[in-house]
Amino acid sequence: MSDDVRLHELRAEVGRVAVTPLARLIAQDPARAADFAIQVGPLYASFARQHYDRDALAWLQRAAADAGSVQRLRALFDGEIVNVTEGRPALHTALRGDLSSTDTARAAHQQALTARKQMRAVIDKLAASEVTDIVSVGIGGSDLGPRLAADALTGATPGRFRVHFLSNVDGHAAQRTLAGLDPKRTAALLISKTFGTQETLLNGGILRDWLGDDSRLYAISANVERAASAFNIPSERILPMWDWVGGRYSLWSAVGLPIALAIGMDQFEQFLDGAARMDAHVLETPLERNLAAWHALTAIWNRNGLGYATQAVLAYDDRLRLLSNYLQQLVMESLGKSTRLDGSPVSGDTVPVWWGGVGTDTQHSFFQALHQGTSIVPADFIGVIHSDAPYPQNHRALHANLLAQTEAFANGQSSDDPHRAYAGGRPSTTILLDALTPASLGALLAMYEHSVYLQSVFWGINAFDQFGVELGKQVASRLLPALAGEAEAEDPVTRELLRKLRG
């Protein structure tokens, strides 16, 4: 089936379903609430409030199969060249499990196990020292994943180390991060695959000078030679990264050292195990009951079928406050493409704009627009069943708000006063974690990774390159001499702005 035919059929399905309000779809199918839900280990997901019916869902699953979803999943796990524009595999699954018999995947898994031993050795060495604080320096995939997991999984009482993150090149970020820390009791991790990332090099230089010596400076990089020469870091304090893992998929590798320092290496391995169990489910389960496939096909239905241009992720647990930031990069950097693998333009739209927030805070912020605005915004609601906090009344109120919002989004409420009327018909998916543990968070993030990949397969795009990140960085490098007064910009608007910036 060609892309054009697939999109034509999708729109026909949407035309058939869209005439029935979402609330009526739910009401006329009594078994829908149970049948449109999937439990995978510690994750339960309900798609019952998405605006499709059983026939539309079956069509989506057939279309996904026709697009080669099952075969492309196997290619991913086996280490085939799925990142075709850069000629690389994408073996992040090998960092957390061994689900392939190919030499490529098995070799990658063995490298990952060796790196884990190195991580444990670093943690043991630091634990035996006087170091109390760790500053992790990275940006993008070298920051967002570790920052999310460390923040989500660190308990109310800090562990052996307090972990701080520095990403922004703005000097105020470094100033605020280092305020109150003791350089004699602090170690720094510099995380960069190429060791050519401007933000990381500049902030790394600040850390090196602030520490006063190089003895507590560590690096995680694929460019060992440059890390050693630029910062005088010996090889025994440089942990590996590999070309076969993209930055936004690297938190499962030594890039996750800040997570392991925050929660302990044993807990970090539980995080990997949770992701590995999700990997096994996604690889081995038919599309009809495959959680990541349902999530991916729902996203395609909402984007290509219903034409929704944005997607919200709303976490009803304060420990997941950084989830929307992490998913913005994972989804939009992976799927923000307009060119197919063969170089032709895509048919229709790809990724929507992902954004969101946490808990009841957002209800007093942008929910007005979600309920009564002119644009419909599908949402993923994330909840946690069992809480560690000793305040059961608060937790019940949190659950009441989560349930109320998803119900109100779908069903709306009529009123004789048009200002107090709610149209409803706002689709949402509800994902519940049994508890927020390393294993459940690992499973959740792996599910999103596979959903992203399956969307890319459907659209025929590459989820693993990010050339769009590079252009602005290239222009910025050309403008640095102009800011120093050593050159002039070609662009007339930039020239005028430069005069203003230079005072």
Side-chain angles (χ1 to χ4, degrees), residues 20 30 56-57 104 141 194 200 237 263 279 285 335 376 386 389 420:
T20 305
L57 187 57
T104 300
T194 63
T200 302
R237 282 195 265 121
I263 66 174
D279 291 340
T285 305
L335 299 178
I376 292 180
H386 300 291
R420 289 175 170 80

Side-chain angles (χ1 to χ4, degrees), residues 168-350:
N168 198 327
V169 75
D170 187 337
H172 294 97
Q175 185 182 43
R176 295 174 69 180
T177 299
L178 300 179
L181 299 183
D182 180 354
K184 300 298 183 185
R185 300 175 68 85
T186 302
L189 313 175
L190 310 185
I191 307 176
S192 174
K193 179 184 286 188
T194 63
F195 239 75
T197 307
Q198 182 189 60
E199 297 93 337
T200 302
L201 294 178
L202 287 169
N203 283 329
I206 291 172
L207 261 293
R208 178 186 54 195
D209 296 342
W210 178 80
L211 288 171
D213 65 72
D214 301 329
S215 64
R216 294 180 307 288
L217 206 56
Y218 294 78
I220 298 107
S221 180
N223 194 339
V224 173
E225 182 177 342
R226 187 163 184 177
S229 62
F231 284 88
N232 196 33
I233 304 174
S235 59
E236 62 268 21
R237 282 195 265 121
I238 303 175
L239 280 71
M241 293 177 71
W242 304 283
D243 285 342
W244 40 265
V245 178
R248 57 195 174 278
Y249 300 91
S250 65
L251 75 164
W252 317 101
S253 71
V255 172
L257 182 57
I259 308 170
L261 285 160
I263 66 174
M265 191 64 195
D266 290 344
Q267 288 70 30
F268 179 72
E269 292 192 335
Q270 292 172 21
F271 178 62
L272 300 179
D273 289 343
R277 286 193 288 273
M278 180 58 68
D279 291 340
H281 162 79
V282 171
L283 182 63
E284 298 165 2
T285 305
L287 297 177
E288 292 76 14
R289 296 303 296 170
N290 189 311
L291 176 53
W294 272 46
H295 191 275
L297 294 173
T298 300
I300 290 163
W301 176 265
N302 285 333
R303 185 69 178 118
N304 293 137
L306 295 171
Y308 300 144
T310 72
Q311 163 78 35
V313 56
L314 306 165
Y316 275 68
D317 190 298
D318 194 66
R319 296 169 295 178
L320 294 173
R321 58 192 166 188
L322 299 178
L323 181 62
S324 59
N325 302 64
Y326 166 78
L327 290 176
Q328 269 185 340
Q329 188 205 19
L330 174 66
V331 181
M332 295 179 71
E333 194 167 280
S334 298
L335 299 178
K337 315 292 168 58
S338 56
T339 303
R340 291 174 48 82
L341 292 170
D342 62 7
S344 63
V346 299
S347 299
D349 294 311
T350 58

